[in-house]
Amino acid sequence: MNRLPIRAVLTLAAGILTALSLPALAANAAADETAAEEATGPKAVAVEEVLDLGTIPKGETLKVEWELRNEGTEPLEITQVRPSCGCTVATYDEVIAPGATGKVRAEIDTTNLFGADTKRVTVLTNDPNNPSIVLTAKSEVKPYLNAIPGYARFNVVQDQQKGSVDQSIWAQDGSDFNIVSATATEDYLTVAVREATEEERAEDAKGKQYQVSVTLAKDAPIGPITSALQITTDHPKQKTMSIPISGFVRPVLAVTPQTANFRKIELKEPLQANILVKNYAVEKIDLTSIQSTIPTISAEIIPLEEGRRFQIRLLVSPDTPKGDFNGMLKIQTDSPKVPSLEVPVIGTVI
């Protein structure tokens, strides 16, 4: 039996071991190369990705700061910060030097928040291995001051009567706080504050209680009401509260549509259109006469409900000249509140 020399066997074994170890050596070399590349670039690390802010008084503006550390060897650039909602305003340090720490700041308005709340901001960086970081702020928004009903809504007719809505306000924790000021954001709203009587006090509530009245002026402008009651207190845990004010001021006589707009019309025969006039006053009102300032457009009043609803029927004659027309309907009434109405009439004959 032939035997290989011992030297030949050892040489063969060494060759096999070398062949087996080459892939592992190559993988280690690639890992070392990747690590070297990572070490030479910017590296973004959030010190705390999630901040727990605890219990926050409703109405306060929270100022939150997250820290970002640059553990790389090149400057870390924050290219953009995207808040999760419109109530979060974010600013940030645009460049963070190697080894330094920068900040991302947010302001969160808690006016319309209640209970457990989570807000997030997404931070975009030039770190190729961590280009997007989500930072989170958690809180429990709790009102220390209660208000019932907690809103004021008006639905009134201009020049008819004043409207008033009362709020009962007290501290949830029973603190004897004071209302320092109470104002509305519109000039046609006035606010009065006084301590609640025994009959007005909320059941099971402790400490001072207040009645805050919001009054709408009789001559408030016609249209939607969008405002707020701003209250400042010396309560140690909630200095401010905001109560929404909404509603609508109607005219005594409402005209729909407010303008008779015929747009572009081709007249081969008489053209008819209608306008509705509605009375929102307490008393009945009659429309006594109507006149059109455009000779080829006639108008008549058709009662639909006595003293309450009227239809204005317009008739455009084919004799109306081509081109633009622009005039007015002049309506007379028997009401001293609104003795007359004017309705624009416009269009183009093609």
Side-chain angles (χ1 to χ4, degrees):
M1 181 175 181
N2 296 329
R3 294 182 178 179
L4 291 173
I6 292 175
R7 180 176 293 180
V9 172
L10 293 175
T11 301
L12 178 61
I16 293 172
L17 290 173
T18 300
L20 291 173
S21 63
L22 283 176
L25 291 173
N28 290 337
D32 291 342
E33 185 177 350
T34 301
E37 289 178 357
E38 291 180 357
T40 59
K43 184 177 181 180
V45 177
V47 177
E48 280 188 275
E49 291 188 4
V50 180
L51 297 179
D52 190 343
L53 307 177
T55 301
I56 304 299
K58 182 179 176 68
E60 284 194 1
T61 298
L62 304 182
K63 295 185 178 181
V64 189
E65 287 187 347
W66 292 271
E67 291 187 343
L68 283 184
R69 189 168 57 245
N70 182 5
E71 296 184 356
T73 59
E74 296 181 7
L76 174 68
E77 297 178 5
I78 299 178
T79 56
Q80 192 176 4
V81 173
R82 297 173 180 171
S84 62
C85 73
C87 62
T88 306
V89 179
T91 62
Y92 52 92
D93 298 331
E94 295 184 0
V95 180
I96 304 173
T101 300
K103 292 182 178 181
V104 175
R105 309 168 191 87
E107 292 187 359
I108 302 172
D109 182 4
T110 65
T111 301
N112 298 316
L113 304 180
F114 184 80
D117 184 72
T118 300
K119 291 289 180 286
R120 296 180 177 86
V121 295
T122 301
V123 181
L124 305 182
T125 76
N126 66 335
D127 180 350
N129 299 296
N130 196 13
S132 176
I133 301 174
V134 178
L135 303 176
T136 304
K138 294 183 176 181
S139 63
E140 180 79 17
V141 181
K142 177 181 178 181
Y144 288 95
L145 297 177
N146 287 330
I148 291 181
Y151 63 90
R153 181 166 180 81
F154 297 94
N155 190 357
V156 299
V157 178
Q158 190 184 51
D159 293 324
Q160 285 290 102
Q161 71 280 331
K162 290 183 178 180
S164 186
V165 178
D166 294 338
Q167 305 288 330
S168 297
I169 297 175
W170 72 96
Q172 183 71 30
D173 57 3
S175 298
D176 274 335
F177 70 101
N178 295 299
I179 293 181
V180 178
S181 66
T183 58
T185 54
E186 301 293 343
D187 293 339
Y188 52 79
L189 293 165
T190 57
V191 182
V193 180
R194 60 177 174 81
E195 282 200 48
T197 64
E198 286 299 322
E199 292 75 17
E200 294 169 334
R201 289 179 61 87
E203 294 183 7
D204 301 326
K206 298 178 181 179
K208 283 186 177 179
Q209 293 189 41
Y210 294 90
Q211 288 290 106
V212 179
S213 298
V214 181
T215 301
L216 180 71
K218 289 177 64 176
D219 60 351
I222 293 170
I225 300 170
T226 305
S227 185
L229 172 61
Q230 306 289 358
I231 297 176
T232 303
T233 80
D234 62 1
H235 190 286
K237 294 182 178 179
Q238 186 173 347
K239 301 297 183 185
T240 63
M241 70 184 307
S242 179
I243 297 174
I245 303 173
S246 62
F248 201 90
V249 179
R250 298 181 181 276
V252 173
L253 292 175
V255 180
T256 307
Q258 296 179 342
T259 299
N261 189 347
F262 288 90
R263 305 185 186 280
K264 292 183 178 181
I265 54 176
E266 186 175 358
L267 288 174
K268 295 182 179 179
E269 57 184 27
L271 179 65
Q272 180 179 307
N274 296 313
I275 295 173
L276 180 66
V277 179
K278 188 172 182 179
N279 172 25
Y280 286 101
V282 175
E283 71 279 5
K284 293 182 178 181
I285 296 176
D286 193 21
L287 306 186
T288 57
S289 66
I290 187 169
Q291 178 185 2
S292 169
T293 63
I294 303 174
T296 56
I297 297 180
S298 60
E300 65 173 322
I301 300 170
I302 302 174
L304 301 178
E305 181 183 350
E306 184 183 359
R308 291 295 169 191
R309 294 192 308 126
F310 306 86
Q311 180 178 293
I312 306 297
R313 181 175 295 166
L314 301 179
L315 196 64
V316 184
S317 169
D319 297 333
T320 305
K322 289 188 177 181
D324 297 337
F325 57 85
N326 190 335
M328 198 73 66
L329 294 178
K330 296 185 177 182
I331 305 170
Q332 302 300 314
T333 82
D334 63 358
S335 170
K337 294 177 180 177
V338 188
S340 64
L341 291 171
E342 290 190 345
V343 181
V345 180
I346 59 176
T348 302
V349 179
I350 58 175

